[in-house]
Every structure is written in C-alpha cells, then in structure tokens.
Amino acid sequence: MPIEMPRGVPFSVDTWTPASPLKHHRFLTHAHRDHLGGTAAAPCIYASSVTVLITLRYFPQLNRAAFVELEAGTPPLLVSDPDGDFTVTAFDANHCPGPSPPSVSSSFPPLFSSDA
C-alpha cells in the first residue's frame, strides 16, 4: 500500500504514486511486488545492488544510470539536495535477497523505513 512521505521531505521510500515525481530521490528497500507497484522512471533511485538487478529484470525500461547502489555495511552516504542535505545509512533487514532499508538523518524528522 503506497504511503506518501510528509511534505518537505525530498524523497520517498517504496512509493510510486502520482505525487512521487515531486520527490528528488527515491529509495527502494527491496524488490517485493508490493514495493515495485507503479515503478516509474525517476532521476535517482537508491537501492542495493541485488535490488537493482531484480528491479531491472522486472522493469527493463528503467535507466540503469538512475540507480545509486546503497549497500548495508558501507559508510553513510551524504546526499545533496536543494531542500537540505541528508545522510543515508543502509541496513541489512535480513528479510529477502538485497533488502537495504534506509536510515536518514537530516534537519527534517528522522526516518527509518522497513517492513521487515
């Protein structure tokens, strides 16, 4: 079930709704069908390498260059954004192949997202 992120947050997590194009960044935590529903092109999609491979198999029309691989166990990634920079750390949800729910730190409220 798609859930919109709060206003002012420049990203969405596992959400591909009509409002999603308003977000600069998207996080795909893993490649289960309920997370891929409505998947569309986006300027930047963060996901683990396994999730990227599975997603491109289901949606070959997506541009591989739009994906940024974010792996559990790697240092936090600083993401620059006009609405405010934020730091992302991926965690292994141990839920299925390739899950990497993000923990986001920034000036907006903290977020940890996962269905695991």
Side-chain angles (χ1 to χ4, degrees):
M1 168 186 230
I3 298 172
E4 288 299 331
M5 299 304 291
R7 278 181 215 251
V9 175
F11 58 83
S12 62
V13 179
D14 295 331
T15 302
W16 311 92
T17 66
S20 293
L22 302 174
K23 306 295 184 180
H24 305 136
H25 313 274
R26 297 185 194 171
F27 293 92
L28 182 57
T29 62
H30 58 285
H32 279 172
R33 286 282 190 187
D34 61 326
H35 293 256
L36 295 172
T39 300
C44 190
I45 304 170
Y46 298 86
S48 71
S49 57
V50 172
T51 298
V52 171
L53 289 173
I54 294 169
T55 302
L56 290 173
R57 178 162 276 197
Y58 285 127
F59 301 95
Q61 74 278 13
L62 293 177
N63 183 353
R64 173 63 181 92
F67 286 90
V68 175
E69 292 184 7
L70 184 62
E71 303 293 344
T74 60
L77 176 67
L78 176 62
V79 178
S80 297
D81 187 86
D83 292 331
D85 297 348
F86 56 94
T87 303
V88 181
T89 305
F91 293 91
D92 184 353
N94 203 20
H95 175 59
C96 61
S100 59
S103 174
V104 178
S105 300
S106 67
S107 60
F108 37 82
L111 169 79
F112 181 80
S113 174
S114 176
D115 68 351

